[in-house]
Amino acid sequence: MTIEEILAIEDIGQRIAYLKKGRRTPEVNVTRLRADWNPNLHEIITDKEKYPKIKIVTEKEKREWNEKLQRDVTIPAKTKEVEPNRIAIPLEQDIVNIHTAFTVGTEPEMSCDPSGDEKGIFEALKSVLKKNKIKYQNRKIVRSWLSEQEVAEYWYIAKDDGFWAKLKARIDSIFGNSRPEGKLKSVVWSPFRGDRLYPYFSNEGDLVAFSREYKRRSAEGGETACFMCITADMVYNWELDKEWSDAGSFRHKFAKLPVLYSYRPEALCDKIRTIRIRLEKLLSGYADCIDYHFFPILMLFGDVQNFSGEFKNRVVELTGDGANAAYLTWNQASDPVKVELDTYFNQAYAMTNTPRISFDQLKGSGSALSGVAFRYVFMGAHMAVSNHGEELGMFMQRRVNFLLSALGSINPSLAKASETIDVDVDIVPYIIDNIDDKVKTAVSAVQGGVWSQRDGVIFAGNAARVDETIKEIREERQKASTEKTNP
């Protein structure tokens, strides 16, 4: 069915059912994903049957004379249950956070060569991204995509609080005869945030509608089930109170669907789930072994004749055949456990192309590694970012394309420029740069005639104020030349 045919159905419940069926990918298993992500929900903590309490015998079974019965009776052993060590490892969080930092720790680059009115809309685009703190929102989106399998970004028009006035102060030609009354804002939707997402694709694979099911909490603490459907021109809202009812619909005033969606077939750390479970079992079991067997136990053979002294001068006198005293110690080596732990940890990070960034791992590098050497060290992480870019790069390109169209929709003076401007987005993996190496490379390339002075300034890391830097360099050279001619 087309989205128009679904929305024409009178029964809202049936309408929602068809919108849910339009999802082409399996709905994510939020319970399992959340259990993998949150260390407090790992099975080492929650599964009391698989990891039961430890029974300890406090008094062994014995036989005593019972005066009332006039015979020996058996007194059962006394036991108590204690909690075993339950050590959970936030392995998924560490790996996902490292991948997130390498993917968007450096902001994605936007390349554009604007002309005429396109300069105004390009500045407006950069201001929208800055005001919405997109550099931080990118991390939320990447982290959700890697750990929750899917994420969506919804854009809407909010009341302007000076956005256009500040922009006009920099670019006077940003407005026509009137000033827009709204500004662009965004919000992130994902399973961990309580959202159930239902993208609806056409037969051609285009996203023609997007639905979101969620619960709205009232001030009294009650919850109301809500369903939101966004199409190319409308936003529909329905609420469930015994039956589904209309909760208000409106036009979003955009020329394109204001939702960006990204999905992956499995979470990044799904493949190492069994390794993490084994690591937690090893660490917890080894901790129990330490608690009950590491400290030496004093064994006494014979009868205790006398016990005297305090602290350092304590003496135990034993009599009888074979009288002796000795400590029961743990002589077995624990090397196999250490080897297994190290192997599994290394395997977990290697299988996900994740560098182990810690003080112990990097303390020996010092200043020995140059910028090029760091690129070799983190090659695996950069390869992973390249793979992530297959989906995330398209997501961020769609975002820029939508924002350009949206700016043209809410500001008529930018409408024509929004149709002609071309902005490309590239994901740049995070890397520790060696400034000295970059400057030497830039100077060598400019002097060798391979790069222009502009290219050299940008490569050296001065892209934010490239025009001002080039102007200052020329003025300083002209001043130095004048002083040399007229000393």
Side-chain angles (χ1 to χ4, degrees):
M1 298 178 67
T2 64
I3 192 66
E4 291 79 11
E5 292 172 338
I6 294 175
L7 295 174
I9 299 174
E10 292 187 5
D11 184 79
I12 298 178
Q14 189 177 2
R15 195 185 305 169
I16 292 174
Y18 275 110
L19 288 171
K20 289 183 177 181
K21 288 181 181 179
R23 180 184 177 116
R24 293 187 174 184
T25 55
E27 193 170 353
V28 301
N29 189 341
V30 184
T31 303
R32 174 170 173 170
L33 292 173
R34 198 187 299 274
D36 289 342
W37 178 257
N38 187 349
N40 293 324
L41 299 178
H42 289 178
E43 68 174 32
I44 192 71
I45 302 293
T46 60
D47 195 337
K48 306 294 182 172
E49 293 184 2
K50 191 173 182 179
Y51 304 98
K53 292 184 178 181
I54 300 174
K55 290 185 178 181
I56 297 178
V57 178
T58 56
E59 292 185 16
K60 67 179 182 178
E61 182 183 292
K62 59 184 178 180
R63 295 185 61 83
E64 289 185 353
W65 176 262
N66 188 298
E67 291 290 343
K68 186 176 181 180
L69 299 176
Q70 290 296 305
R71 62 182 175 85
D72 287 338
V73 296
T74 301
I75 299 176
K78 293 182 179 180
T79 62
K80 68 175 182 178
E81 291 185 342
V82 297
E83 281 287 342
N85 285 285
R86 303 182 186 274
I87 302 175
I89 308 172
L91 191 62
E92 287 87 351
Q93 290 189 17
D94 187 46
I95 289 175
V96 167
N97 286 333
I98 292 175
H99 276 256
T100 300
F102 271 93
T103 305
V104 288
T106 301
E107 289 190 67
E109 287 185 350
M110 293 191 302
S111 57
C112 178
D113 188 15
S115 60
D117 293 339
E118 292 178 353
K119 295 181 179 180
I121 194 172
F122 189 55
E123 287 298 321
L125 171 65
K126 292 191 289 186
S127 294
V128 168
L129 297 176
K130 182 178 180 181
K131 292 299 181 181
N132 280 273
K133 305 295 182 184
I134 292 298
K135 67 178 181 179
Y136 303 118
Q137 187 158 300
N138 282 341
R139 300 185 183 187
K140 295 180 181 179
I141 289 171
V142 175
R143 188 178 293 112
S144 296
W145 181 71
L146 293 173
S147 59
E148 306 171 51
Q149 294 186 228
E150 62 180 355
V151 64
E153 185 179 70
Y154 170 59
W155 287 86
Y156 61 96
I157 299 176
K159 185 178 180 181
D160 181 26
D161 57 357
F163 171 81
W164 292 106
K166 295 174 182 176
L167 192 59
K168 182 173 175 59
R170 300 203 312 269
I171 307 174
D172 188 59
S173 61
I174 198 71
F175 301 118
N177 298 326
S178 61
R179 178 183 300 178
E181 296 180 355
K183 65 176 182 178
L184 294 171
K185 293 202 69 177
S186 65
V187 63
V188 176
W189 295 337
S190 70
F192 286 1
R193 293 174 172 84
D195 305 306
R196 298 180 68 179
L197 309 180
Y198 299 97
Y200 197 96
F201 293 91
S202 66
N203 293 330
E204 293 75 23
D206 298 324
L207 184 65
V208 295
F210 190 89
S211 301
R212 168 201 178 213
E213 187 177 15
Y214 64 100
K215 291 183 178 179
R216 188 184 69 245
R217 293 184 179 179
S218 63
E220 293 77 17
E223 290 185 343
T224 303
C226 303
F227 197 89
M228 182 180 186
C229 178
I230 306 162
T231 65
D233 56 351
M234 294 289 294
V235 176
Y236 300 92
N237 289 287
W238 302 298
E239 291 183 355
L240 179 62
D241 185 10
K242 296 183 179 179
E243 292 184 357
W244 287 101
S245 61
D246 191 1
S249 304
F250 60 92
R251 292 188 176 276
H252 52 62
K253 300 179 182 180
F254 296 122
K256 296 182 178 180
L257 186 73
V259 178
L260 309 168
Y261 173 73
S262 187
Y263 172 84
R264 58 181 292 135
E266 66 176 17
L268 174 66
C269 295
D270 187 71
K271 63 175 70 72
I272 64 164
R273 185 171 183 268
T274 55
I275 293 178
R276 188 258 302 158
I277 293 174
R278 175 61 179 170
L279 284 170
E280 291 176 334
K281 183 178 180 180
L282 275 174
L283 287 174
S284 301
Y286 188 62
D288 290 333
C289 195
I290 291 290
D291 289 345
Y292 295 104
H293 302 290
F294 177 75
F295 298 100
I297 300 172
L298 179 62
M299 299 184 297
L300 301 177
F301 302 90
D303 299 324
V304 179
Q305 182 70 22
N306 185 26
F307 181 85
S308 60
E310 293 183 7
F311 301 107
K312 295 182 179 181
N313 60 347
R314 285 178 294 179
V315 176
V316 178
E317 295 183 16
L318 302 173
T319 60
D321 294 338
N324 190 15
Y327 278 107
L328 177 65
T329 59
W330 185 14
N331 296 322
Q332 291 80 10
S334 58
D335 288 343
V337 176
K338 184 177 184 303
V339 170
E340 190 174 6
L341 286 173
D342 291 341
T343 301
Y344 284 149
F345 266 114
N346 292 332
Q347 192 174 14
Y349 283 87
M351 289 178 64
T352 55
N353 280 327
T354 308
R356 298 185 66 178
I357 303 174
S358 65
F359 177 76
D360 290 334
Q361 297 292 327
L362 300 177
K363 64 182 179 181
S365 61
S367 59
L369 294 180
S370 65
V372 176
F374 268 117
R375 282 177 170 81
Y376 283 110
V377 171
F378 296 134
M379 183 182 294
H382 286 191
M383 292 172 62
V385 171
S386 179
N387 292 332
H388 300 335
E390 293 178 8
E391 182 63 31
L392 294 176
M394 295 297 294
F395 179 93
M396 294 179 184
Q397 184 66 60
R398 290 195 299 267
R399 173 202 280 161
V400 167
N401 294 342
F402 165 77
L403 289 177
L404 291 172
S405 174
L407 287 169
S409 298
I410 64 177
N411 190 343
S413 63
L414 300 176
K416 186 177 180 180
S418 67
E419 298 176 356
T420 59
I421 190 171
D422 186 18
V423 180
D424 291 325
V425 182
D426 290 315
I427 293 179
V428 181
Y430 174 80
I431 190 64
I432 301 174
D433 282 325
N434 188 314
I435 301 299
D436 186 55
D437 288 349
K438 295 187 71 173
V439 172
K440 288 180 180 178
T441 301
V443 171
S444 177
V446 172
Q447 291 179 350
V450 179
W451 286 351
S452 67
Q453 189 178 53
R454 184 182 186 84
D455 293 331
V457 171
I458 293 174
F459 182 80
N462 235 352
R465 52 188 304 271
V466 56
D467 294 326
E468 294 89 337
T469 302
I470 292 175
K471 182 180 178 181
E472 291 172 1
I473 291 174
R474 289 174 180 173
E475 291 176 350
E476 290 176 359
R477 286 182 177 177
Q478 185 176 5
K479 182 180 178 181
S481 177
T482 304
E483 292 177 352
K484 185 177 182 180
T485 307
N486 303 309

